[in-house]
Amino acid sequence: MACRCYSRIRCLFEAVPLRLKIMGMVVGTALLIAVLTAFQVRRAMTDEIFRQLRERSCSTALEFASRAPEYVLVNDIFGLTRLFKDAVSNRRDLRYAFMISPKGEVVAHSFSGGFPMELLSVESPNPSEEVGGAARVVTDEGVVWDCSAQVMRGMLGRVRVGISTERAQRTIDSLVRSMIFTIGVVAMAGLLFSALLTWFLTRPIAQLAQAAARIRRGDYDIHLESCSTDEIGSLVAAFNDMAVQLAEAERVRQEREALRKEYLRKIIEVQEEERRRVARELHDQVAQALVALRLDLKLIENAKDPKVLSQRIQRLRQTIAYEMEAIHELALALRPPVLDDMGLLAALEHYVKEYSARYDFSIDFLAFGLEEVRLESYIETAVYRIVQEALANIARHAQAENATIILELVDGTELRGVIHDDGQGFDVSKRGVTQMGLYGMEERVHLLGGKISIDSRPGEGTVISFSIPVGDRGGGHGEDHDSHSG
Ligand SMILES: Nc1ncnc2c1ncn2[C@@H]1O[C@H](COP(=O)(O)OP(=O)(O)OP(=O)(O)O)[C@@H](O)[C@H]1O
Ligand SMILES: [Mg+2]
């Protein structure tokens, strides 16, 4: 329950804009300090002034007590009353003065409209002492400090005086009012100052938020200006760096996307071309061959002479053998059956052997850990096509004398390959966007979650190395196997 309350309060607080938070904290702190200070000052002043008023009431009572006998002993009650009344009208804050006899009767007083009898019920803190101490009396005219003093050690009675706190209270109140006014002015200034400060602090943050929104919309052309070197300055610099890197990553992504589209277009084009060729070959080669076979059969049918018959059967056999070879070639070009039947190693050995017979550079093929191992069919096809393309490139562009192909199954989980030639090399950074062979290799390897690097420099040959994860193929084929062709 308490936890939910706390999280709700936290959510409410976090929903307040940063500007309001900072301004609220500055103004709130200033107000709290000001109010506490005003309260303390008011209390300290009230304590001090009231202490002085208490002392004054007692000293005035003592003064009257010392002067009262000269009137009382000659029974000059009128003179005593005059003394009290003059004192009340001349001395500021003196509210009243009166004398009571030892029997408790009022002997003389300063009141004009009759003596308020309830004053007699006010008890001094120390009635038996010469100065009875100040008692706080609440009257309809405000608080009065009432002090009594014995006249001739109490033999003639007591004098009591009342000092009003009204004027002191008014002074304190006006002081507190002017303090509150000053606090108000200071708080307003604080508010303005904190508004300015928060504007300075939050402006870069707001700019960062706007820039982040632009990046979200795919607009990376952003550079935020900031001359500050504080934390916010570093944040802005880091943001600018990030925008530059994102723009670069986006450029690379778009480039790759364009290449990918081109690659796809080319694959479809090549596929169509391949189908066209197969259709043409089927038509030209196989259909015509069948027509020729039919003619040959007709001739055999009509042949009477056994010698001629045997010659025609011999020719028929040759035609059939030739056509079988042509169909085999066609099937081989489309997809070598040995790749499906015997696996990658056998297919590549066969391919490399045929290739080196056709071209005038030597090819070394070395394979480690691949004997009797069958990888997933799509991995075998990919590696076969990579080697095919690399050899095609060497034949077309490299003018090499020697080429080396090394394949190794490492720990049964990773297939590594290196294809090297000692030809004329090329500048890797200047590959054309319409050339798809190397890009196709990279795509195949990346699609299989592997890595590939193409290293070449003019005059220094070419090295293509790749590694492809192949899952766990059992490892265990400890003894190296190598086979050579060419
Ligand atoms: N082994 C190599 N030796 C020298 N240059 C090479 C080699 N391999 C590739 N190149 C250079 O790199 C370029 C790009 O090769 P890539 O295979 O991508 O395209 P291509 O062979 O020209 O065309 P295709 O799309 O038909 O393969 C080639 O044109 C060639 O200049
Ligand atoms: Mg090529």
Side-chain angles (χ1 to χ4, degrees):
M1 182 64 193
C3 198
R4 210 169 329 137
C5 258
Y6 166 73
S7 67
R8 195 171 296 168
I9 290 171
R10 215 188 63 190
C11 285
L12 276 176
F13 183 73
E14 281 170 5
V16 177
L18 189 59
R19 261 173 213 209
L20 279 188
K21 273 184 209 146
I22 297 178
M23 278 165 69
M25 277 192 292
V26 171
V27 173
T29 312
L31 276 179
L32 193 70
I33 291 173
V35 168
L36 282 179
T37 314
F39 178 74
Q40 288 283 26
V41 167
R42 186 179 188 281
R43 215 186 58 178
M45 277 182 74
T46 308
D47 286 356
E48 177 58 21
I49 289 177
F50 278 20
R51 189 185 62 75
Q52 287 180 11
L53 289 179
R54 278 199 305 274
E55 280 176 14
R56 235 176 94 198
S57 71
C58 290
S59 66
T60 312
L62 207 57
E63 181 197 335
F64 288 157
S66 67
R67 290 182 63 185
E70 60 187 89
Y71 295 97
V72 177
L73 289 176
V74 296
N75 209 16
D76 183 5
I77 301 305
F78 181 75
L80 188 59
T81 304
R82 179 93 267 132
L83 173 74
F84 287 158
K85 285 198 170 179
D86 285 352
V88 167
S89 54
N90 292 334
R91 297 188 192 186
R92 289 166 97 183
D93 304 328
L94 185 59
R95 188 64 201 85
Y96 58 78
F98 63 92
M99 179 176 169
I100 44 177
S101 68
K103 288 182 187 158
E105 292 156 351
V106 178
V107 178
H109 64 81
S110 61
F111 294 99
S112 324
F115 182 79
M117 295 310 281
E118 57 272 20
L119 269 183
L120 292 179
S121 61
V122 174
E123 279 285 328
S124 292
N126 306 307
S128 55
E129 308 239 328
E130 188 183 2
V131 180
R136 189 170 181 272
V137 180
V138 181
T139 70
D140 47 1
E141 291 171 19
V143 174
V144 168
W145 286 111
D146 180 296
C147 188
S148 70
Q150 291 173 344
V151 182
M152 294 192 73
R153 304 215 174 130
M155 284 186 296
L156 295 183
R158 307 179 72 84
V159 168
R160 281 178 51 189
V161 298
I163 298 276
S164 164
T165 61
E166 196 191 345
R167 199 170 60 90
Q169 198 67 57
R170 271 205 314 274
T171 312
I172 292 170
D173 286 350
S174 106
L175 199 87
V176 168
R177 265 200 304 277
S178 76
M179 265 188 86
I180 287 174
F181 175 75
T182 315
I183 289 167
V185 171
V186 170
M188 287 304 289
L191 196 70
L192 276 178
F193 182 69
S194 62
L196 202 70
L197 184 80
T198 50
W199 182 77
F200 267 121
L201 280 178
T202 55
R203 198 175 62 116
I205 296 175
Q207 280 179 342
L208 280 172
Q210 278 173 8
R214 278 175 61 189
I215 284 186
R216 204 169 42 231
R217 290 195 299 270
D219 174 7
Y220 301 104
D221 187 17
I222 292 173
H223 184 81
L224 296 177
E225 294 297 337
S226 168
C227 8
S228 81
T229 50
D230 58 6
E231 290 85 346
I232 290 192
S234 329
L235 187 64
V236 169
F239 188 90
N240 283 337
D241 275 0
M242 187 192 74
V244 169
Q245 278 171 20
L246 278 176
E248 178 60 18
E250 177 62 12
R251 194 187 60 72
V252 171
R253 192 191 68 77
Q254 280 180 2
E255 238 174 59
R256 287 201 78 82
E257 189 60 30
L259 269 177
R260 202 181 290 258
K261 277 190 190 147
E262 181 61 24
Y263 182 57
L264 202 67
R265 194 188 63 72
K266 196 127 184 197
I267 284 179
I268 294 169
E269 208 175 272
V270 166
Q271 255 181 5
E272 283 309 309
E273 181 54 40
E274 198 70 22
R275 283 180 188 169
R276 212 174 290 133
R277 191 172 67 81
V278 172
R280 204 169 45 234
E281 298 223 342
L282 276 177
H283 181 266
D284 293 357
Q285 188 98 27
V286 183
Q288 282 182 23
L290 287 176
V291 171
L293 285 178
R294 204 171 62 186
L295 269 175
D296 278 353
L297 280 175
K298 194 104 188 132
L299 289 174
I300 290 172
E301 217 174 47
N302 297 338
K304 303 276 184 301
D305 183 356
K307 203 172 157 201
V308 173
L309 185 69
S310 130
Q311 272 175 358
R312 284 184 182 163
I313 289 174
Q314 182 62 30
R315 215 176 72 198
L316 183 64
R317 208 176 273 136
Q318 276 172 359
T319 314
I320 290 173
Y322 175 74
E323 291 311 324
M324 273 174 65
E325 179 62 21
I327 290 170
H328 174 72
E329 285 281 310
L330 193 63
L332 204 69
L334 284 177
R335 184 176 170 85
V338 64
L339 185 58
D340 295 319
D341 301 341
M342 311 284 290
L344 180 65
L345 188 62
L348 281 179
E349 276 171 349
H350 181 73
Y351 187 75
V352 163
K353 200 165 147 197
E354 284 202 344
Y355 217 85
S356 23
R358 256 193 281 156
Y359 293 92
D360 56 358
F361 61 92
S362 80
I363 308 174
D364 281 341
F365 177 39
L366 309 170
F368 303 97
L370 274 171
E371 70 286 1
E372 289 166 29
V373 169
R374 290 305 305 264
L375 304 173
E376 296 288 349
S377 149
Y378 59 87
I379 297 178
E380 291 193 331
T381 308
V383 176
Y384 186 82
R385 296 291 181 213
I386 289 170
V387 174
Q388 238 183 354
E389 174 60 29
L391 286 182
N393 276 351
I394 296 171
R396 273 173 68 191
H397 312 292
Q399 293 169 9
E401 285 175 12
N402 300 293
T404 312
I405 302 166
I406 304 171
L407 287 182
E408 183 183 8
L409 185 63
V410 183
D411 297 335
T413 57
E414 188 186 2
L415 182 64
R416 289 189 194 154
V418 176
I419 303 159
H420 169 256
D421 70 72
D422 60 359
Q424 62 182 357
F426 67 106
D427 188 346
V428 181
S429 63
K430 291 190 180 145
R431 274 157 58 187
V433 282
T434 52
Q435 295 166 319
M436 288 291 138
L438 294 179
Y439 178 73
M441 276 186 208
E442 288 169 338
E443 273 306 291
R444 284 183 198 277
V445 173
H446 291 153
L447 271 175
L448 297 176
K451 290 183 200 138
I452 180 166
S453 78
I454 299 166
D455 299 307
S456 186
R457 242 177 274 163
E460 290 184 18
T462 303
V463 181
I464 296 170
S465 31
F466 60 86
S467 76
I468 296 171
V470 293
D472 195 354
R473 313 304 308 171
H477 298 282
E479 75 281 17
D480 288 344
H481 162 100
D482 67 317
S483 67
H484 298 257
S485 283

